[in-house]
Amino acid sequence: MSIWSSQDVARDSVRRQAAGLDIAQVAEKAAEAARRKRETADDARHVLGHGAVSDLVAVDPHRLAATWSAKHTGWQRIRTLLETTGQTVYEPERDVAGTRWAGEREEFREERLAAAAARRDRVREQRVAVSTQLWLTPAQSAALQRAADRTGLTPQQILARLAARVETGPDGTLSVPAFHPDHP
């Protein structure tokens, strides 16, 4: 699924393709888009079984029809722009509305990228910060408490330092080399 609508895709595509074209070339593109709009709309109406796509079609015909409809609208808009402004060729940087839409799309893209990066960072932090429950026998608990009392650390701090030193052997066994808990 794309984050861009058919209109977004069409605006971007038409704007790039129209650069440097004169009004006659833009009119040809608008006519072609009108033809493709009709064809793809017909194809979308005749899709087998309520939206099921045949094995030969890799593109959703409804989305393709919406894209061509939006492209047709885009080409018509550019043709009207050239007619009303008297420009001889289309220059994207002189297209105020197109430039604004492109800026909005880029801003949205940057926001999505930043949000995705923030999500990845949160997931990474959550993976690092593991919270566990540990059930100890009374003897184990007493030994841990004595070690904590001797070092001035909490039992949780001792266990965290113990976990930080766990080594995995080639056969998967876990071991902790001797260490002094109050020396980080």
Side-chain angles (χ1 to χ4, degrees), residues 114-149:
R119 250 187 327 277
R120 281 191 305 273
D121 290 345
R122 280 193 306 275
V123 167
R124 191 177 307 118
E125 288 172 8
Q126 289 170 351
R127 286 181 189 149
V128 171
V130 174
S131 175
T132 61
Q133 280 189 336
L134 181 62
W135 296 94
L136 301 174
T137 65
Q140 294 166 330
S141 180
L144 180 60
Q145 190 59 56
R146 282 192 305 274
D149 291 342

Side-chain angles (χ1 to χ4, degrees), residues 83-106:
E83 290 170 348
T84 59
T85 62
Q87 296 177 46
T88 56
V89 296
Y90 178 71
E91 298 174 47
E93 59 277 359
R94 292 181 64 192
D95 179 356
V96 176
T99 300
R100 185 182 74 245
W101 291 331
E104 290 169 357
R105 278 192 308 278
E106 185 58 27

Side-chain angles (χ1 to χ4, degrees), residues 33-100:
R35 180 181 55 79
R36 297 292 303 268
K37 173 183 169 181
R38 282 189 306 275
E39 291 171 355
T40 56
D42 287 344
D43 290 347
R45 278 193 293 276
H46 295 99
V47 171
L48 302 173
H50 299 294
V53 178
S54 75
D55 292 338
L56 300 176
V57 180
V59 177
D60 176 6
H62 299 282
R63 183 161 177 86
L64 186 60
T67 299
W68 275 107
S69 178
K71 282 186 177 190
H72 180 237
T73 301
W75 285 112
Q76 287 178 313
R77 185 189 70 79
I78 290 174
R79 184 179 65 202
T80 302
L81 175 73
L82 292 178
E83 290 170 348
T84 59
T85 62
Q87 296 177 46
T88 56
V89 296
Y90 178 71
E91 298 174 47
E93 59 277 359
R94 292 181 64 192
D95 179 356
V96 176
T99 300
R100 185 182 74 245

Side-chain angles (χ1 to χ4, degrees), residues 11-33:
R11 284 177 184 157
D12 184 56
S13 172
V14 167
R15 193 162 188 259
R16 281 184 286 110
Q17 291 176 20
L21 299 183
D22 63 28
I23 195 161
Q25 293 168 313
V26 169
E28 287 175 24
K29 294 285 191 178
E32 177 189 356

